[in-house]
Amino acid sequence: MMNRNNVSYVDAISEATAQEMAYDPSVIVFGLDVDDHKAIQGTTKGLLAKFGPDRVFGTPLSEDAMTGAAIGMAMCGLRPIHVHIRMDFMMLAMNQLVNIAAKTHYMYGGQIRLPMVVRSMIGKSWGQGAQHSQGLYSFFMHVPGLKVVAPTTPFDAKGCLISAIRDNNPVVYVEHRILHFQKGPVPEELYEVGPGKARITAAGSDITLVGISHMQIECLRAKHYLQEKGINAEVIDPIWLSPLDVDTIAASVRKTGHLLVVDNDWATCGASAEIMAAVTERLQGEMRFTVHRMGFANTSCPPTPSLEYLFYPNGRTVAAKAFDILKGSAQNWLPNERPDLKEIEFRGPF
Amino acid sequence: MMNRNNVSYVDAISEATAQEMAYDPSVIVFGLDVDDHKAIQGTTKGLLAKFGPDRVFGTPLSEDAMTGAAIGMAMCGLRPIHVHIRMDFMMLAMNQLVNIAAKTHYMYGGQIRLPMVVRSMIGKSWGQGAQHSQGLYSFFMHVPGLKVVAPTTPFDAKGCLISAIRDNNPVVYVEHRILHFQKGPVPEELYEVGPGKARITAAGSDITLVGISHMQIECLRAKHYLQEKGINAEVIDPIWLSPLDVDTIAASVRKTGHLLVVDNDWATCGASAEIMAAVTERLQGEMRFTVHRMGFANTSCPPTPSLEYLFYPNGRTVAAKAFDILKGSAQNWLPNERPDLKEIEFRGPF
Amino acid sequence: MIAKFYESLYRIRRVEEEVAKVYPTDKIKSPVHLSIGQEAVAVGVCEALQPEDIVFITYRSHAAYLAKGGNLKAMIAELYGKVTGSAKGKGGSMHLVDVANGIMGASAVVGTTIANSIGYAYGVKLKRQNNIVVCFFGDGATDEGVFYESMNFAALKKLPIIFICENNGYAIHTAQAKRQSVPDIAAKAAVFGMPIERLGDDVLHLYERISAAVETLRSGGTGPFFFECETYRWKEHVGPSEDYNAGYRAKTEAEPWMQQDQVQKFAMMLDPQQRQQIEQAVEIEIAEAFEFAENSPFPPDAELYDGVFA
Amino acid sequence: MIAKFYESLYRIRRVEEEVAKVYPTDKIKSPVHLSIGQEAVAVGVCEALQPEDIVFITYRSHAAYLAKGGNLKAMIAELYGKVTGSAKGKGGSMHLVDVANGIMGASAVVGTTIANSIGYAYGVKLKRQNNIVVCFFGDGATDEGVFYESMNFAALKKLPIIFICENNGYAIHTAQAKRQSVPDIAAKAAVFGMPIERLGDDVLHLYERISAAVETLRSGGTGPFFFECETYRWKEHVGPSEDYNAGYRAKTEAEPWMQQDQVQKFAMMLDPQQRQQIEQAVEIEIAEAFEFAENSPFPPDAELYDGVFA
Ligand SMILES: Cc1ncc(C[n+]2csc(CCOP(=O)(O)OP(=O)(O)O)c2C)c(N)n1
Ligand SMILES: Cc1ncc(C[n+]2csc(CCOP(=O)(O)OP(=O)(O)O)c2C)c(N)n1
Ligand SMILES: [Mg+2]
Ligand SMILES: [Mg+2]
């Protein structure tokens, strides 16, 4: 028997998929390698055996046409889940996603709706390098007509996927390779974690840390580091990036007076810029507060371990930045690495 | 003889191209329909006759491969200018631009450089609708390794294009269909309007209006409307969006205390969010100020004239918003349309 | 049958002529890509289909929309940007749609609907529906990579779909030979392993050949089928006028097509009285459709934000 | 010639075997896609080229990189992430590059370099250079639309380029027949109008046939040329191990390829002494390269922000 308190993110995804497929025969899963023995890191494991090759199938390397096909399937009343093993490959699918999927319902005056999910994974570590490590979800946040979700916990991985599958619109479902190794409680039954509700993952009063996708983990680590200095950070996981729950974040900043958004992506025109802007729009004039962001270094991701480490924010650098925000810039405090804060991390090799 | 004080944006582009091609034999121009009689609204007119079909050629409808080819040409020492008649079609080229062009110099440790320009046009009016009216440049601002420029005046159209051609990096050069009809002074000689320098297009003291691409014109109109109310707006044209000259904008806001960014694109994760965030990072803690944005309505662009009109910010709505910012929200002042502020506008039909 | 075909041909021709006539009044503020001269393919194909069959079309598809049974009033209202239009004025001429009549929409981005159509056909097959999917596209669309990816997938999965390439020899002003190293489009589909056939714009022959493919699919045979149909665009790429003086093509190239004009040909096959009856009915219908469009309101402002999400 | 070929074959095989051996120590933190078993194609092709000729390669191109004369020390250092690597540690195993030796880089996104190679070839032609461009890619890349777009453009412009499809029958774990409706890749290039040929992994035959194409191009003939080369990957898709027990393929499928192993075959053709000499020299070179990599420093922190723009 599965220990429901210790379910992996990977199993949460495959379970959600299998349950929805059993519940609704219009749900199908396809994409490169969803049906091989690796089963997209296990996230599609068992589906082929259970639901057969018509509802679970690998595809040619044809991201553009397969995205278009997902749209056509949705038009025909299916609820396709199209899977990419790397988010980077979605750059081949931008035309169908931006020009067709996002616009179909509106542009056809409501005659057609597109219930479809596009799953993809952000890579990290083991020198995957420039083309396998990008979090490009801000592109999809930018375009009206698409929803975007990036769950962090196994619980949300399941609930958000179910919600995404049942949504009557195109949903971009963002996973992070490192999050796949997260474990936690996941109810057996079907449940939804729907759009538009952020989660306060740790209460606090001094500063609001918003951590997106894997950076949620780093923010939780940062909270511990900051406690060493007597700072009590509130941590928020936006979960759904589009629509974005600005209310919850703004309410927190109303309390703490400071916002630090830590993104799993570049900052420029990214989700972190958006959250800063949206919170500012909400609160300016009402009170004094500050807004800040961290994200990927403004370069391509270098594979060599030393530079790769510098490329990403981590719990310590997030804590250092938060400390600077509260105590004045360039305090040069950087906490020592604490082994007790290392959850299991995927380290390769691939 | 050409009246150098009244050169059109279109002619500025074709002149810059012709002069650079004459000056540097490695410059070539290609893309769908660059060599037909319409010559991309005239912007490539005369080039075929002058430089022949090896340096000026139309292509198959193959945006993905042709973008990859531009990269390969640049690797071989050419300076290609790849033209798209609509920016929307660049969604087919995202893989090559984001995964290859942006990363090549860095990822190959500096061994290869890619001097290339990608020109494209944002459409507007005459019911071109959802798929022919997008300003998607924030995607390119987001990714390190790409430069982005969106000139507004004929003078900048020429100077920026020359600068883009001479740049040793991939430059996304954004035109706006309506701006093509702008006229103004354009020197005959070759000159550059380089990256990183915004232009104060109208001095003022009460609020800073940053207008991107065609919205620059609307901001200039808004300045006139605001004068009716005794408000003196400063207007800034960022010209280059990446790298962005935050200094000039922040200096203006330091003076006016209020920033309103008006973008020719959606707001979420857009250039307007970025400019708000960047200015806030610069000025918060130093003084009190407010930041605001306007952009496309958060829908796909509807073709029907009544809704299409509402989809875009315009001089009047920009003025109204600025007035609200300064005088408190929902003042419900909306200036009457002033015919004297109508420059020539493209109205169709196509 | 002749009467039915003529009605469809005449109706399409006349609707587009009216669109061209109205266009200079600026009442239609939407880029129109007329298919005048290309009606035959739309009619020959769509007459072979049933109402529940599905077509995917392009921005140049007034013809296919009408031939498949798309609502005429909704179409004209859509061109006028009225709320009674097929897409409430949010689609425009390039995005006609009529789901009730099996018309799954049209894209202004070339080639995109090919990929959508194979997905739809996959759904049809998975759900064991008995209808058939038809996808129309131009010769220009076959320059795009998505065309090949889609042919491969359709053949790999043996989908119940019929591809109709309307080869009018041009993409905007660029002749096929300037874009394609080898002009034989059907051969490029054939390498993926599907029956191909090259057809002209003879409506009856088209009808016969498409009907045979439809019959095969309907009776449980596997697809896909590919037809390359030669045809010719009489008007400019976009807009209501002719452009034989633009330099990229000569009127002499068009003349043989005009001489074999299918609308005229079918007109001749009917007795004058029957013809007159048909034409009169069509004229009344068209006049009513334009009147309907004229008299319909523009969408209310609130429509701007309506329907971004389902 | 046999000696030269053997040296190249043996060197590639041994370099990759060393990579596989070192890999479990975690000194190489970069996903390695070994070409063990596929050396023949790289050697047969690259031996027919001159130093100034250009190759575009893939993430599985240690073989082509070495065969074309890529710097071995820089390669191993790159795998180790050292600043002395071909890309200063910013490329990794999947992005080998050596411009001085005509190696224009490799992509981890399948198919992308095909498009880059045609652009380069266009440049070569425009500048009337006398060198030749060669583009390597796998069977998987021919699923992608960009492959077809690129074939069309190359043929349309008659570019001085040779396409080498290394068909190892798989894309990751998916056999070609599961992805392609028709397995004949060369035929899919042929429809664009270019000479095609199907080859195995016999080095001498490859060398001969590629040389003929090179000769044609060098002497002013027009391209492109297309070669589909059947070959076989002995190791898992990524990583240093074998995976015949994973279920997607059987060892028996590999055996014929192993029996005709070109490295062994050439070894047999040499007299033992000469063979020993070659092998010794290669072993020394390899040992030195790994030592060089081990002893080189990681890039300094400042390198992170260096070189985003030229
Ligand atoms: C992806 C894409 N590239 C370019 C264009 C610009 N464009 C609009 S129509 C057209 C010609 C398409 O030709 P074809 O498919 O033969 O259709 P036809 O107009 O001849 O009916 C082009 C290139 C576009 N709409 N979409
Ligand atoms: C565009 C794209 N889609 C998917 C992938 C994932 N992927 C990595 S390698 C590979 C297989 C490619 O097969 P092939 O071209 O035959 O090369 P081989 O590995 O057999 O040498 C795939 C699908 C990718 N890297 N790029
Ligand atoms: Mg055509
Ligand atoms: Mg392969």
Side-chain angles (χ1 to χ4, degrees):
Chain A
M1 265 285 315
M2 204 177 201
N3 173 0
R4 303 295 324 178
N5 283 317
N6 202 33
V7 178
S8 77
Y9 193 112
V10 163
D11 291 339
I13 290 178
S14 68
E15 181 175 277
T17 312
Q19 289 177 332
E20 277 295 290
M21 290 183 79
Y23 166 82
D24 180 350
S26 65
V27 179
I28 72 169
V29 175
F30 73 106
L32 260 172
D33 308 319
V34 299
D35 58 350
D36 74 10
H37 59 284
K38 297 244 171 137
I40 313 290
Q41 335 283 16
T43 57
T44 58
K45 198 135 138 195
L47 299 178
L48 175 62
K50 248 183 231 140
F51 302 103
D54 290 345
R55 290 180 67 196
V56 181
F57 59 96
T59 68
L61 288 78
S62 304
E63 287 82 358
D64 184 6
M66 291 302 97
T67 307
I71 292 168
M73 292 171 192
M75 287 174 164
C76 188
L78 298 180
R79 292 185 174 269
I81 305 173
H82 184 205
V83 186
H84 299 272
I85 201 158
R86 285 285 173 274
M87 187 141 196
D88 318 71
F89 305 151
M90 287 179 76
M91 293 303 94
L92 283 158
M94 290 301 281
N95 184 42
Q96 288 286 344
L97 291 171
V98 172
N99 286 329
I100 315 295
K103 295 168 174 49
T104 289
H105 186 66
Y106 187 86
M107 182 171 85
Y108 292 139
Q111 282 202 34
I112 298 178
R113 56 184 210 187
L114 297 183
M116 57 185 275
V117 180
V118 184
R119 279 184 49 202
S120 72
M121 229 171 281
I122 302 172
K124 179 174 177 178
S125 89
W126 204 263
Q128 293 174 81
Q131 297 176 333
H132 276 51
S133 311
Q134 296 168 97
L136 299 161
Y137 36 79
S138 66
F139 292 0
F140 306 109
M141 294 170 67
H142 183 61
V143 181
L146 301 175
K147 297 187 181 180
V148 184
V149 61
T152 303
T153 63
F155 180 90
D156 286 341
K158 178 169 178 177
C160 291
L161 185 53
I162 292 171
S163 182
I165 293 169
R166 295 180 182 179
D167 202 294
N168 283 327
N169 300 283
V171 179
V172 175
Y173 180 98
V174 182
E175 301 161 40
H176 192 291
R177 185 68 184 100
I178 307 283
L179 290 176
H180 275 173
F181 299 89
Q182 293 286 317
K183 294 195 171 181
V186 175
E188 185 161 3
E189 69 268 18
L190 288 164
Y191 60 93
E192 294 189 40
V193 177
K197 197 75 205 114
R199 194 189 301 288
I200 298 172
T201 53
S205 50
D206 298 331
I207 185 169
T208 302
L209 304 179
V210 173
I212 298 174
S213 183
H214 178 50
M215 285 302 146
Q216 174 63 207
I217 309 294
E218 302 295 357
C219 285
L220 290 170
R221 286 194 183 118
K223 182 184 168 70
H224 287 280
Y225 286 121
L226 286 165
Q227 274 162 353
E228 297 175 10
K229 289 287 190 180
I231 293 170
N232 189 10
E234 176 143 301
V235 183
I236 295 181
D237 182 350
I239 311 176
W240 286 80
L241 296 171
S242 183
L244 184 69
D245 175 13
V246 182
D247 290 345
T248 298
I249 302 171
S252 173
V253 179
R254 206 170 263 128
K255 193 170 64 179
T256 64
H258 300 281
L259 171 68
L260 173 56
V261 186
V262 188
D263 197 7
N264 205 86
D265 193 358
W266 294 295
T268 309
C269 295
S272 61
E274 176 58 28
I275 295 173
M276 284 170 75
V279 168
T280 301
E281 285 173 322
R282 199 62 70 85
L283 296 183
Q284 67 189 348
E286 178 187 324
M287 60 176 287
R288 292 184 72 153
F289 62 97
T290 71
V291 293
H292 310 266
R293 59 181 165 177
M294 294 177 80
F296 291 171
N298 203 24
T299 71
S300 299
C301 181
T304 184
S306 60
L307 300 185
E308 191 181 55
Y309 180 77
L310 296 173
F311 180 76
Y312 295 102
N314 61 53
R316 294 164 64 225
T317 58
V318 172
K321 170 105 180 178
F323 188 74
D324 286 355
I325 290 167
L326 293 171
K327 305 295 173 184
S329 67
Q331 292 289 317
N332 285 330
W333 172 70
L334 185 70
N336 292 324
E337 180 121 33
R338 264 170 47 187
D340 63 314
L341 299 182
K342 281 215 166 165
E343 291 97 306
I344 176 163
E345 287 253 356
F346 179 67
R347 50 175 287 286
F350 286 83
Chain B
M1 265 281 319
M2 204 175 200
N3 173 1
R4 304 295 325 178
N5 283 317
N6 202 32
V7 178
S8 77
Y9 193 111
V10 163
D11 290 339
I13 290 178
S14 68
E15 181 176 275
T17 313
Q19 289 177 333
E20 278 296 289
M21 290 184 78
Y23 167 81
D24 180 349
S26 65
V27 178
I28 71 169
V29 176
F30 73 105
L32 261 172
D33 307 319
V34 299
D35 59 350
D36 74 9
H37 59 282
K38 297 244 172 140
I40 313 290
Q41 335 282 16
T43 58
T44 58
K45 198 138 141 191
L47 299 177
L48 175 63
K50 249 184 229 138
F51 302 103
D54 290 345
R55 289 180 67 196
V56 181
F57 60 94
T59 68
L61 287 79
S62 304
E63 287 82 357
D64 184 5
M66 292 302 97
T67 307
I71 292 169
M73 292 171 192
M75 287 175 165
C76 188
L78 298 181
R79 293 184 174 270
I81 305 173
H82 184 205
V83 186
H84 300 271
I85 201 156
R86 285 285 173 275
M87 186 141 199
D88 317 72
F89 305 152
M90 289 181 73
M91 293 303 94
L92 283 158
M94 290 301 282
N95 185 42
Q96 288 286 344
L97 290 171
V98 171
N99 286 328
I100 316 293
K103 294 166 175 50
T104 289
H105 187 66
Y106 187 86
M107 182 171 84
Y108 293 138
Q111 283 201 36
I112 299 178
R113 56 183 210 186
L114 297 183
M116 56 185 275
V117 180
V118 183
R119 277 183 52 200
S120 71
M121 228 171 282
I122 303 172
K124 179 175 175 178
S125 89
W126 204 261
Q128 293 173 81
Q131 298 176 333
H132 275 49
S133 312
Q134 297 169 96
L136 299 160
Y137 36 80
S138 67
F139 292 180
F140 307 109
M141 295 171 67
H142 183 61
V143 181
L146 300 175
K147 297 187 181 179
V148 183
V149 62
T152 303
T153 63
F155 179 89
D156 287 341
K158 178 170 178 179
C160 291
L161 184 53
I162 292 172
S163 182
I165 293 169
R166 295 180 182 179
D167 202 296
N168 284 326
N169 300 283
V171 179
V172 175
Y173 181 98
V174 181
E175 299 161 43
H176 192 291
R177 185 68 185 100
I178 306 283
L179 290 176
H180 274 173
F181 299 88
Q182 292 286 315
K183 295 194 171 182
V186 175
E188 185 162 2
E189 70 267 16
L190 289 163
Y191 59 93
E192 295 189 39
V193 176
K197 199 70 207 120
R199 194 188 302 289
I200 298 172
T201 52
S205 50
D206 298 332
I207 186 168
T208 302
L209 304 179
V210 173
I212 298 174
S213 183
H214 177 51
M215 286 300 146
Q216 175 60 209
I217 309 295
E218 301 296 357
C219 286
L220 290 170
R221 286 194 183 119
K223 183 185 168 69
H224 287 280
Y225 286 121
L226 286 165
Q227 273 163 352
E228 297 175 9
K229 289 286 191 180
I231 293 170
N232 189 9
E234 177 144 300
V235 183
I236 296 181
D237 182 351
I239 312 178
W240 286 81
L241 296 171
S242 182
L244 184 71
D245 176 12
V246 181
D247 290 345
T248 298
I249 301 170
S252 172
V253 179
R254 206 171 264 127
K255 194 170 62 176
T256 64
H258 299 282
L259 171 68
L260 173 56
V261 186
V262 188
D263 197 5
N264 205 86
D265 193 358
W266 294 295
T268 310
C269 295
S272 61
E274 176 57 29
I275 294 173
M276 284 171 75
V279 167
T280 301
E281 285 173 322
R282 199 63 68 86
L283 297 183
Q284 66 188 347
E286 179 188 323
M287 61 177 286
R288 292 184 72 156
F289 62 97
T290 70
V291 292
H292 310 266
R293 58 181 165 177
M294 293 176 82
F296 291 170
N298 203 25
T299 71
S300 299
C301 181
T304 183
S306 59
L307 300 184
E308 191 180 55
Y309 179 77
L310 296 173
F311 181 75
Y312 295 102
N314 62 53
R316 294 164 65 225
T317 58
V318 172
K321 170 107 180 178
F323 188 74
D324 286 354
I325 290 167
L326 293 172
K327 304 295 172 184
S329 67
Q331 291 290 317
N332 285 329
W333 173 71
L334 184 72
N336 291 325
E337 180 121 33
R338 264 173 46 188
D340 62 314
L341 299 181
K342 280 213 166 166
E343 291 96 310
I344 174 162
E345 288 252 357
F346 178 68
R347 49 175 288 285
F350 287 84
Chain C
M1 203 165 74
I2 299 296
K4 198 160 159 260
F5 284 20
Y6 179 63
E7 190 197 332
S8 186
L9 286 164
Y10 179 78
R11 186 166 169 263
I12 296 169
R13 173 69 54 88
R14 286 291 301 121
V15 167
E16 293 214 293
E17 285 174 352
E18 281 308 298
V19 168
K21 207 163 89 190
V22 167
Y23 207 67
T25 66
D26 288 0
K27 282 178 183 162
I28 296 175
K29 288 205 181 64
S30 183
V32 291
H33 302 76
L34 301 180
S35 35
I36 289 178
Q38 303 190 190
E39 301 88 348
V41 180
V43 173
V45 171
C46 292
E47 286 295 334
L49 302 178
Q50 294 301 314
E52 65 274 18
D53 292 330
I54 299 295
V55 298
F56 284 81
I57 59 180
T58 78
Y59 55 89
R60 189 186 309 289
S61 283
H62 296 173
Y65 174 93
L66 292 171
K68 181 60 175 61
N71 186 305
L72 175 60
K73 281 186 174 152
M75 169 184 156
I76 303 301
E78 188 60 33
L79 268 57
Y80 274 69
K82 299 301 180 71
V83 72
T84 50
S86 50
K88 303 188 194 169
K90 293 167 168 186
S93 163
M94 300 195 287
H95 303 293
L96 295 181
V97 64
D98 187 343
V99 171
N101 290 302
I103 298 155
M104 279 297 144
S107 174
V109 183
V110 173
T112 51
T113 45
I114 307 177
N116 303 150
S117 73
I118 58 170
Y120 200 105
Y122 189 88
V124 162
K125 188 172 180 185
L126 183 71
K127 301 204 285 183
R128 298 179 198 283
Q129 290 174 193
N130 197 33
N131 55 345
I132 284 162
V133 180
V134 171
C135 182
F136 289 89
F137 48 88
D139 53 298
T142 71
D143 297 5
E144 294 279 3
V146 73
F147 167 72
Y148 299 93
E149 293 181 358
S150 300
M151 292 305 114
N152 180 41
F153 186 78
L156 185 69
K157 299 293 181 188
K158 303 196 190 321
L159 299 179
I161 188 166
I162 298 172
F163 297 111
I164 305 290
C165 178
E166 295 180 277
N167 186 352
N168 62 11
Y170 292 91
I172 309 190
H173 314 114
T174 306
Q176 200 190 343
K178 273 194 68 184
R179 306 180 337 254
Q180 301 190 355
S181 56
V182 169
D184 189 344
I185 292 172
K188 294 173 199 168
V191 284
F192 294 97
M194 64 183 86
I196 59 158
E197 200 167 335
R198 273 175 220 86
L199 301 171
D201 72 345
D202 177 319
V203 177
L204 288 174
H205 188 56
L206 275 157
Y207 171 75
E208 190 186 294
R209 300 305 306 139
I210 306 298
S211 293
V214 167
E215 183 47 40
T216 304
L217 292 174
R218 202 84 75 193
S219 57
T222 59
F225 289 86
F226 190 97
F227 295 91
E228 180 182 350
C229 308
E230 278 193 69
T231 182
Y232 201 79
R233 160 170 63 77
W234 295 7
K235 299 281 186 178
E236 58 188 338
H237 167 70
V238 56
S241 311
E242 293 192 344
D243 66 351
Y244 297 104
N245 57 0
Y248 73 95
R249 60 175 186 173
K251 182 90 185 229
T252 50
E253 192 183 74
E255 276 157 4
W257 295 95
M258 292 176 168
Q259 274 150 25
Q260 71 189 43
D261 177 19
Q262 296 287 304
V263 183
Q264 278 312 306
K265 194 177 131 192
F266 275 75
M268 297 310 177
M269 287 157 74
L270 292 171
D271 82 76
Q273 212 184 334
Q274 196 183 8
R275 176 179 167 183
Q276 207 192 6
Q277 257 173 15
I278 290 172
E279 294 178 0
Q280 259 173 6
V282 165
E283 295 298 339
I284 291 170
E285 192 198 355
I286 293 175
E288 281 173 0
F290 277 82
E291 214 180 290
F292 174 77
E294 294 263 3
N295 295 334
S296 291
F298 285 106
D301 289 0
E303 266 295 336
L304 176 63
Y305 290 103
D306 208 63
V308 177
F309 289 110
Chain D
M1 201 164 82
I2 299 297
K4 197 160 160 261
F5 284 24
Y6 180 62
E7 191 198 331
S8 186
L9 286 165
Y10 179 79
R11 185 165 169 264
I12 295 169
R13 172 69 54 86
R14 286 289 302 121
V15 166
E16 292 215 293
E17 284 174 351
E18 281 308 298
V19 168
K21 208 164 87 189
V22 167
Y23 207 67
T25 67
D26 288 0
K27 282 178 182 163
I28 296 174
K29 288 205 181 64
S30 183
V32 291
H33 301 76
L34 301 181
S35 35
I36 289 178
Q38 302 190 189
E39 301 88 348
V41 180
V43 173
V45 171
C46 290
E47 286 295 333
L49 302 178
Q50 295 301 314
E52 64 274 18
D53 292 331
I54 299 295
V55 299
F56 284 82
I57 59 179
T58 76
Y59 56 88
R60 190 187 307 290
S61 284
H62 297 174
Y65 175 92
L66 292 170
K68 182 60 176 61
N71 186 304
L72 175 59
K73 280 184 174 152
M75 168 184 157
I76 305 299
E78 188 61 32
L79 268 57
Y80 274 70
K82 299 302 180 71
V83 72
T84 51
S86 49
K88 303 187 193 169
K90 292 167 168 186
S93 164
M94 299 195 287
H95 302 294
L96 296 181
V97 66
D98 187 343
V99 171
N101 290 301
I103 298 154
M104 280 298 144
S107 174
V109 183
V110 173
T112 52
T113 46
I114 307 178
N116 303 151
S117 73
I118 59 169
Y120 200 105
Y122 189 86
V124 162
K125 188 173 180 185
L126 183 70
K127 302 205 284 182
R128 297 178 200 284
Q129 291 175 195
N130 197 31
N131 55 346
I132 284 161
V133 179
V134 171
C135 181
F136 288 90
F137 48 87
D139 52 299
T142 70
D143 297 6
E144 293 280 3
V146 73
F147 167 73
Y148 299 92
E149 292 183 357
S150 299
M151 292 305 112
N152 180 42
F153 186 78
L156 185 68
K157 298 293 179 187
K158 303 196 193 314
L159 299 179
I161 189 165
I162 298 173
F163 296 111
I164 305 291
C165 178
E166 296 181 275
N167 186 352
N168 63 10
Y170 292 91
I172 309 189
H173 313 115
T174 306
Q176 200 190 343
K178 272 192 68 184
R179 306 179 339 253
Q180 299 189 355
S181 56
V182 169
D184 189 343
I185 293 172
K188 294 173 199 167
V191 283
F192 293 97
M194 64 182 86
I196 58 157
E197 200 168 336
R198 274 176 219 85
L199 301 171
D201 72 346
D202 177 320
V203 177
L204 288 174
H205 188 56
L206 276 157
Y207 171 75
E208 190 185 293
R209 301 306 304 139
I210 306 299
S211 294
V214 167
E215 183 47 41
T216 303
L217 292 175
R218 202 84 77 192
S219 57
T222 59
F225 289 87
F226 190 97
F227 294 93
E228 180 181 349
C229 307
E230 277 193 68
T231 182
Y232 201 79
R233 159 169 65 76
W234 295 7
K235 300 279 187 181
E236 57 189 339
H237 167 69
V238 55
S241 311
E242 293 191 340
D243 66 350
Y244 296 104
N245 57 1
Y248 74 94
R249 60 176 185 171
K251 182 92 186 227
T252 50
E253 191 183 74
E255 276 156 6
W257 294 95
M258 293 176 168
Q259 273 149 26
Q260 73 190 44
D261 178 18
Q262 296 288 302
V263 183
Q264 278 310 307
K265 193 178 132 191
F266 274 76
M268 295 313 176
M269 286 158 73
L270 292 172
D271 81 77
Q273 215 186 327
Q274 196 184 7
R275 173 179 171 183
Q276 208 192 6
Q277 258 174 12
I278 290 172
E279 293 178 359
Q280 260 174 6
V282 165
E283 294 298 338
I284 290 169
E285 193 199 355
I286 293 175
E288 281 174 2
F290 277 82
E291 216 180 289
F292 173 77
E294 294 262 3
N295 296 334
S296 291
F298 285 106
D301 289 0
E303 266 293 338
L304 177 62
Y305 290 102
D306 209 63
V308 177
F309 289 111

